[in-house]
Amino acid sequence: MRVGVLTGGGDCPGLNAVMRAVVRKGVQAYGYDFTGFRDGWRGPLEGETVRLDIPAVRGMLPRGGTILGSSRTNPFKEEDGVRRIKENLAKYEVDALVAIGGEDTLGVAARLTDEYGIRCVGVPKTIDNDLSATDYTFGFNTAVTVATEAIDRLHTTAESHMRVLVVEVMGRHAGWIALHSGLAGGANCILIPEQRFDVEEVCGWVTSRFRASYAPIVVVAEGAMPKDGQMVLKDETTDSFGHVRLSGVGEWLGKEIESRTGKEARTTVLGHVQRGGTPTAFDRWLATRFGLHAIDAVRDEAWGSMVALRGTDVVRVPLAKATEKLKTVDPALYEEAGVFFG
Amino acid sequence: MRVGVLTGGGDCPGLNAVMRAVVRKGVQAYGYDFTGFRDGWRGPLEGETVRLDIPAVRGMLPRGGTILGSSRTNPFKEEDGVRRIKENLAKYEVDALVAIGGEDTLGVAARLTDEYGIRCVGVPKTIDNDLSATDYTFGFNTAVTVATEAIDRLHTTAESHMRVLVVEVMGRHAGWIALHSGLAGGANCILIPEQRFDVEEVCGWVTSRFRASYAPIVVVAEGAMPKDGQMVLKDETTDSFGHVRLSGVGEWLGKEIESRTGKEARTTVLGHVQRGGTPTAFDRWLATRFGLHAIDAVRDEAWGSMVALRGTDVVRVPLAKATEKLKTVDPALYEEAGVFFG
Amino acid sequence: MRVGVLTGGGDCPGLNAVMRAVVRKGVQAYGYDFTGFRDGWRGPLEGETVRLDIPAVRGMLPRGGTILGSSRTNPFKEEDGVRRIKENLAKYEVDALVAIGGEDTLGVAARLTDEYGIRCVGVPKTIDNDLSATDYTFGFNTAVTVATEAIDRLHTTAESHMRVLVVEVMGRHAGWIALHSGLAGGANCILIPEQRFDVEEVCGWVTSRFRASYAPIVVVAEGAMPKDGQMVLKDETTDSFGHVRLSGVGEWLGKEIESRTGKEARTTVLGHVQRGGTPTAFDRWLATRFGLHAIDAVRDEAWGSMVALRGTDVVRVPLAKATEKLKTVDPALYEEAGVFFG
Amino acid sequence: MRVGVLTGGGDCPGLNAVMRAVVRKGVQAYGYDFTGFRDGWRGPLEGETVRLDIPAVRGMLPRGGTILGSSRTNPFKEEDGVRRIKENLAKYEVDALVAIGGEDTLGVAARLTDEYGIRCVGVPKTIDNDLSATDYTFGFNTAVTVATEAIDRLHTTAESHMRVLVVEVMGRHAGWIALHSGLAGGANCILIPEQRFDVEEVCGWVTSRFRASYAPIVVVAEGAMPKDGQMVLKDETTDSFGHVRLSGVGEWLGKEIESRTGKEARTTVLGHVQRGGTPTAFDRWLATRFGLHAIDAVRDEAWGSMVALRGTDVVRVPLAKATEKLKTVDPALYEEAGVFFG
């Protein structure tokens, strides 16, 4: 049996750890051979491979990113995509694929399995933790940890100058990183994409915090939005790169708070440091277990399945489930955090 | 309503974070007053209290240890213990207790509620993660993180000198810290209390690792034991403090490996750094949620209940459950890790 | 003897550690009393004080920021400033001042001593390390450490996607943070305010790095500037806050690299995380020694002097020296780093 | 020109960073070739080499330990040692050597240059910082940082249980690590090899700390010794490995404090975590600069010289100087720290 491995979508701490576990167990327990495909689905599409054996994964457990590279290539959007993949799998004598990726990458794996009989097993990956089929995805804990350490650092600078510090964290569609790092970092308020915020209310929290002689930290997910009418259209397009993320809500909010409350405000956009670098112990453990169970799924010929965390168990769910529904922050959970606002 | 709070047993990162959440929500959402009792059950027993209000818990989220102090005092082993507690609760007009602690502390709370009608709610605490009623306890992730960082550091020193590094981590009765940090740190083998190890097998793993020109890291829980006959009685009592932990299995194992394999071995006993200091983001989040749910249990008059983590939900379970059964490492889970040994 | 203490200018990890050492030694070795003045020179100007004794500095060694608060208030720009300061010092019976701050704060102290006979001793503070009288200032090592950790994290994300990562670090007038963190983080090139950079040359380094199949990290100080004609005036004013720092050179450079090389580029602006939070061990040691020597200078009545680091010794230099000349990166030192560019 | 590189003595964070800088500048600026010798002087003695070129040093900046391996082999203690080295240098066409190591390694280099005309340049390495020719050695800042983080963690556990925590850090002959980490960590007292301590005085400090309701942290260097008559001979030999370090003074002191003051005491021996793992930003910077200057010394044919840090400059000193005198803690510096004791 020769197993192909690929990583798609944005990078995420733990990708290499998954790969290492897949290869270590595949070789040692089952005697499999491996082929790495470069840059997600681009690899099998264009026949670009990377050597993948035990020496190749040595030292990969603590290393962030992915040694296979990644891309957002979608074979269903390429001419003759499926046929070319089939040809390349045949050419490299690859019998099955372990696809590690998010909604898009796994969606392709699901269709390739279901519609074209290509034997795929999936490992879910999203730093935003917004896949409904699993309690957690690896990388999320690392992002939360990096964001929390940043918030820890910002408290003393906020208090020394009695300023507001706005911290923009990742999370376009789901506020998990904001919620967890905001709670862990002792934020004054947490703004998430799931619920439009009222700038006036935020300013009220900020002001009441100052009255208690604290300096407020406002954690805002990049995808959070103010209520209708509070942000004018031009604010959404000020970014010189054409990315909403960089010019986004954090900077806008800092400016609004400053002008509405009369308090100095500074914005920090954490950006890519949240997704780079070595995974936390939790993420290494989770990624390793996902890898071990993924190769077991290959051995069991559980094509079309994906590994997932449920409580402390790693289970199998249909790949299709991974893309079914975005896991957003439950209103009750968000309300629970609200006791710390203001 | 006036609520008493106490922390018992060994200290653990996150105790202060629980307290802060209990007080913040208790005061802000329910208008409760609070009394801190000093040093676990010694506080209500001897009437020693600490002021506990919102200013007192300011800045406590990231702070390790417990500002209330702790002890292993058991009122059932003290003369007139229950009566004295009742008198002190009356004296300080304390209507209910939130007890944060492990098996012993919560066992007392269970009996006080069930047998004497004292209104208690529990929050589980064990750095060893060995309580069966909850998926995780706070403090555990911090201990695993500290141990993993130490293992990360030891890899390069082991490889520079082609030595064996033995790392003794906490875990008297359960191998959770060893298992998680060993997996996350890329240990060569992991030895846990749940399964007696064979020194010869360990030496075999070490030797095979050197043959692959790696230097092995052996992670051993303080409570791990070799097979019968492999450790002579005097080894168990060499400690100058009278503690088995300090003189224990790590140092013995290093010596054995050295003499049996002919390779240099060094032992590091991580000790108290695993339980001190600021909690990780995960533990701050878990401790905060436990605190919020514990005060909700008080409001709901759910006496005799304890908060617990199930998947991503915080639920209530009977306090008695906390002490029912030690949660040890499942043999299947340990076997899963075995693919990395040797 | 009653000694007043104040902290002026931007906050910096180690301010509290200086204060603690001043108070601990002042009280224990010399029997002095202390008065804290709030918010830099605003405190003695407006008579706003903070209790400052041994209990007040407890736990302050590892804590970032300043418990006295800070400001940029300059008494020479206030009506009757010097007279008001003299009155308040008399009112609070303060015999001497320890002023902890940068160029501006110490410049005021120098004039107050030299021209008005107010007894001042100075402790130099600048996170940018640009004071010529001392080898290092506290806070600088912390900023470099935070920036280096960020660069470490960005390497793997850059490599996974074969992107350019531009990291903008602090340093308006001097490139010390960029130089040290760039060298420590393994940057592909380092751009500093002392030497205008050529965008084409930067793009050449980036391209050659990709040819060697690495992904480049470009570290740029916030005060770095391209050669004349390369940055159009409107780029300097795009910031919605009116701060050059936020909209600045990092984002502009990322965009330029992207359009000139055809490679994806992302910018991370580290911002306030560099100056907040707990000081590193080096900065705690330096701040503590500065504090001990500052109070010795008070005892020796060395008015108008400032403590400074020379090699491993703490020495005294005239306060006036602190403001004499900006310490910028020596061209030879910058050239030394150039071997790693490209 | 072909340059040989070797690393001798105990491992130290920054060795790989030195090597990387030597090779990067040697190849790129001067067109040299390189040969790595394995395990210190054993490499040239036995002709064991490692490929050393730009790809070989890729990613080595942040990596602890040494990819060349290390040993304490001394060619002057081997039969025909010098002749064999000469033959191997000739065989591999190595024209000059860069020796990175401590007193012993550099002492050999000095003799080989002075007495046998072998062209050597040295880079000083000692984690203990006890070389008199340089202000600092790389690795020292990392060790101090690791020790300080451990002390930070131990404070809260000490305070929760009102225990004494004794922390044994590295330093056989010099107390630099103890002094710096003790000051940076806020230790209650610091015991160093340079000055025999009085157990009674230590107990007095401990007791007075408890009276102020703090819990004391005692930092003790592994080479610290009590006054004559306070430690009985058998205490020095209780170690089951035959190492004084492991059984040493920390555990003995904890026991003594416990029995003399009646307070619980716990000992943590930090051990090898202090010398393993990634170097701090400061050490990466210092190691990199040492490497750049060492290869410049080769180009300048400054045989028999060693690089050293003086203030912020890297200078050259005679290799013989490195071994001349142990740099111990100055009594005045130790006394300066004494204000924090008790």
Side-chain angles (χ1 to χ4, degrees), chain A residues 160-161, chain C residues 10-16 64-66 125-127 138-140 275:
Chain A
S160 298
H161 296 281
Chain C
D11 69 312
C12 189
L15 287 167
N16 287 322
T66 164
K125 177 233 61 155
T126 148
I127 205 153
F138 59 87
F140 170 66
R275 70 182 325 134

Side-chain angles (χ1 to χ4, degrees), chain B residues 1-306:
Chain B
M1 167 84 87
R2 174 171 290 275
V3 182
V5 179
L6 60 86
T7 55
D11 68 312
C12 190
L15 287 168
N16 287 322
V18 172
M19 237 179 276
R20 166 184 173 268
V22 162
V23 171
R24 285 288 294 267
K25 185 156 195 185
V27 171
Q28 291 174 204
Y30 307 134
Y32 296 163
D33 290 310
F34 288 89
T35 294
F37 284 107
R38 192 178 290 284
D39 296 346
W41 290 109
R42 201 178 68 71
L45 196 71
E46 303 186 2
E48 260 201 72
T49 63
V50 182
R51 193 181 61 118
L52 195 62
D53 50 17
I54 285 186
V57 296
R58 187 187 177 188
M60 285 303 119
L61 173 59
R63 184 160 156 188
T66 164
I67 52 168
L68 298 180
S70 189
S71 76
R72 301 196 183 277
T73 301
N74 184 336
F76 292 107
K77 294 180 181 164
E78 305 284 327
E79 205 179 312
D80 255 354
V82 176
R83 188 187 52 75
R84 285 160 63 198
I85 285 182
K86 285 195 154 183
E87 279 175 13
N88 280 319
L89 295 182
K91 177 179 165 195
Y92 291 104
E93 302 182 324
V94 167
D95 305 298
L97 280 174
V98 174
I100 315 169
E103 222 182 320
D104 295 342
T105 306
L106 299 182
V108 169
R111 283 189 63 192
L112 288 177
T113 307
D114 294 348
E115 302 174 18
Y116 300 93
I118 294 175
R119 309 196 295 177
C120 294
V121 157
V123 177
K125 177 233 60 154
T126 149
I127 205 152
D128 293 335
N129 199 38
D130 55 4
L131 278 177
S132 56
T134 183
D135 281 2
Y136 293 108
T137 45
F138 60 88
F140 170 66
N141 183 262
T142 304
V144 169
T145 298
V146 169
T148 302
E149 285 171 4
I151 297 170
D152 278 359
R153 291 206 167 270
L154 295 172
H155 273 292
T156 55
T157 196
E159 284 172 19
S160 298
H161 296 280
M162 278 304 185
R163 280 177 186 154
V164 184
L165 257 295
V166 177
V167 190
E168 186 185 305
V169 300
M170 289 189 310
R172 264 168 228 249
H173 309 296
W176 293 109
I177 293 176
L179 182 68
H180 279 240
S181 66
L183 274 177
N188 182 233
C189 68
I190 300 167
L191 309 174
I192 61 175
E194 288 86 344
Q195 197 162 314
R196 293 201 153 212
F197 63 85
D198 179 343
V199 176
E200 268 311 308
E201 192 180 31
V202 171
C203 289
W205 289 328
V206 159
T207 304
S208 92
R209 185 85 166 187
F210 276 118
R211 262 199 304 269
S213 72
Y214 295 50
I217 307 281
V218 174
V219 172
V220 56
E222 59 185 329
M225 290 286 286
K227 293 210 160 152
D228 278 339
Q230 297 197 326
M231 193 191 227
V232 290
L233 195 64
K234 72 170 176 56
D235 291 311
E236 297 172 26
T237 58
T238 46
D239 184 77
S240 54
F241 283 82
H243 303 143
V244 172
R245 191 185 54 251
L246 284 174
S247 71
V249 67
E251 209 163 316
W252 175 86
L253 182 60
K255 194 174 57 177
E256 285 295 312
I257 291 173
E258 204 163 73
S259 75
R260 286 171 190 240
T261 66
K263 296 287 183 182
E264 271 193 323
R266 295 285 183 275
T267 294
T268 291
V269 180
L270 289 184
H272 285 81
V273 291
Q274 294 164 90
R275 72 182 324 135
T278 193
T280 56
F282 182 92
D283 281 338
R284 294 188 201 174
W285 166 85
L286 180 56
T288 296
R289 293 199 69 205
F290 273 1
L292 297 177
H293 282 255
I295 200 67
D296 285 354
V298 168
R299 181 209 48 190
D300 295 348
E301 309 198 340
W303 316 122
S305 75
M306 177 186 99

Side-chain angles (χ1 to χ4, degrees), chain A residues 9-11 64-66 69-70 142 146 150 153-154 156-157 160-161 239-241 243 245 251 254-255 266 272-273 276-278, chain C residues 9-11 64-66 69-70 142 146 150 153-154 156-157 160-161 163 239-241 243 251 254-255 266 272-273 276-278:
Chain A
D11 68 313
T66 164
S70 189
T142 304
V146 169
R153 290 205 167 271
L154 294 173
T156 55
T157 194
S160 298
H161 296 281
D239 182 75
S240 54
F241 283 83
H243 301 143
R245 189 184 57 250
E251 208 164 315
K255 193 174 57 177
R266 295 285 183 274
H272 285 80
V273 291
T278 193
Chain C
D11 69 312
T66 164
S70 189
T142 304
V146 169
R153 290 207 167 270
L154 294 172
T156 54
T157 195
S160 297
H161 296 281
R163 279 176 188 154
D239 183 75
S240 55
F241 283 83
H243 303 143
E251 208 164 314
K255 193 175 58 177
R266 295 285 183 274
H272 285 81
V273 292
T278 193

Side-chain angles (χ1 to χ4, degrees), chain A residues 34 131 164-165 234 260 295 322:
Chain A
F34 287 90
L131 278 177
V164 184
L165 257 297
K234 71 174 176 53
R260 287 170 189 240
I295 200 68

Side-chain angles (χ1 to χ4, degrees), chain C residues 182-247:
Chain C
L183 275 176
N188 180 234
C189 68
I190 300 168
L191 309 175
I192 61 175
E194 288 85 347
Q195 197 163 317
R196 295 201 152 212
F197 61 86
D198 179 343
V199 176
E200 269 311 308
E201 192 180 31
V202 171
C203 289
W205 289 328
V206 159
T207 305
S208 90
R209 186 84 166 188
F210 276 118
R211 262 199 302 269
S213 74
Y214 296 51
I217 306 280
V218 174
V219 172
V220 55
E222 58 184 331
M225 290 287 285
K227 293 210 159 152
D228 278 339
Q230 296 196 326
M231 193 192 228
V232 289
L233 194 64
K234 71 172 177 55
D235 292 308
E236 296 171 28
T237 57
T238 47
D239 183 75
S240 55
F241 283 83
H243 303 143
V244 172
R245 190 183 56 250
L246 285 173
S247 72

Side-chain angles (χ1 to χ4, degrees), chain C residues 253-274:
Chain C
L253 183 60
K255 193 175 58 177
E256 286 294 312
I257 291 173
E258 203 162 74
S259 74
R260 287 170 190 241
T261 67
K263 296 287 183 182
E264 271 193 323
R266 295 285 183 274
T267 294
T268 292
V269 180
L270 289 183
H272 285 81
V273 292
Q274 294 164 90

